[in-house]
Amino acid sequence: GRQQQPKKDAQYALEIFEEGRGAIADGILLDMVSGPSMMAEAKSKSDPSMNRGSSTQMALGEADFNLRSDLIFVHNPNVPKSIRPYGTTYYRDEKERIERLSAVIKREAMQCCSKKLKNREGGEDEKDAKLTEMAQLAWCWMCTNDHYAGVISDIVLSLPLEAVRFLALTQNPRSEPVPDIPIKDCSTPRCSLIIKSRLCFLGRYVLDRDSAPLHKSESCVILR
C-alpha cells in the first residue's frame, strides 16, 4: 500500500501571513499589499528616479504589512514564532512590534481625548470616542501581563492625565469572570499600580474629582 505522509502541523494565521514578509524585503510585494505598478517599480534598477520612488513605495508597503500583521497579532499575542528543540520564540517578544503598538495606543488615546472634548463642547455623547479594536486589545493585553510593565510605564508617563484616565477606563473585552471590566480594575498588580500612581497627585493622593480645584500645578493643588 501507499505510505502515509506525516501530517503537517497546523499553522496560525499570523505565521502564514508573516511568510510574506521576506517577499517585501526582497522587493517582491504581495498582491495584498501592493499593486502591479508598485511591483514594476520595485524591479526597476535602471532609472534612479524610479528607484527613489520604489524605496518610498517599499516603505509604504512594509508599513501596511506591519499594520495588518499587528492586527492579526493582537487577537492571539501568544502565538509562537518558531518552535525548536532548544527553545521557542514568540512574536510578542519582537521589540519593533511592541514599539509600533505602543505608538498606536498613545496616538489614539490623544485623538480620543480630543474627540471627547469636541463632543462635550458640542453637546454630543462622549462615549463615541473609542480606541480601535487593535489598540484596545493591545493595551488590555499589555496591562494583564507584568512582563510589559515597563511599556505601560512609558505609555502613561508620556501622556497627559486625561489621556491616561481615558486608557484606565478602557474596557477589557477579555476580562474575567465577566467581560468589559475597566482595565484599571483587572490589570496585573504591577501594571495596576503604575496606572493608578500616574493618576494620583504626586503618585500618592487620590483627589475628589467632583471638586474643581482653585489652583493646580505639578506640585500643588488647592481645593475648596
Side-chain angles (χ1 to χ4, degrees), residues 52-65:
R52 286 194 296 271
S54 174
S55 298
T56 302
Q57 296 290 358
M58 290 285 289
L60 292 174
E62 184 177 8
D64 185 70
F65 189 96

Side-chain angles (χ1 to χ4, degrees), residues 20-113:
R21 186 174 292 279
I24 291 182
D26 294 337
I28 306 172
L29 303 185
L30 300 176
D31 289 341
M32 63 187 299
V33 176
S34 65
S37 61
M38 192 186 299
M39 294 177 67
E41 286 189 42
K43 294 178 180 179
S44 175
K45 302 295 182 181
S46 58
D47 188 342
S49 63
M50 289 188 69
N51 289 336
R52 286 194 296 271
S54 174
S55 298
T56 302
Q57 296 290 358
M58 290 285 289
L60 292 174
E62 184 177 8
D64 185 70
F65 189 96
N66 287 337
L67 178 63
R68 296 167 189 260
S69 177
D70 292 341
L71 182 56
I72 298 173
F73 168 80
V74 295
H75 286 276
N76 192 357
N78 295 319
V79 168
K81 184 175 182 179
S82 64
I83 301 176
R84 300 287 186 270
Y86 49 81
T88 302
T89 61
Y90 293 88
Y91 290 103
R92 68 190 182 205
D93 295 327
E94 294 177 335
K95 183 180 179 180
E96 290 184 358
R97 186 182 299 276
I98 300 302
E99 289 177 348
R100 289 197 304 266
L101 291 172
S102 297
V104 170
I105 293 168
K106 294 176 186 178
R107 182 175 66 250
E108 290 194 15
M110 293 297 295
Q111 291 172 346
C112 287
C113 284

Side-chain angles (χ1 to χ4, degrees), residues 111-121 126 129 166:
Q111 291 172 346
C112 287
C113 284
S114 297
K115 185 176 181 180
K116 284 185 66 176
L117 179 60
K118 290 180 181 179
N119 288 354
R120 187 184 309 148
E121 293 174 347
E126 295 181 27
F166 173 83

Side-chain angles (χ1 to χ4, degrees), residues 39 50 52 72 85 137 148 158-159 161 173 213 218 223:
M39 294 177 67
M50 289 188 69
R52 286 194 296 271
I72 298 173
L137 291 177
Y148 299 98
S158 65
L159 293 173
L161 285 179
E218 287 296 323
L223 301 174

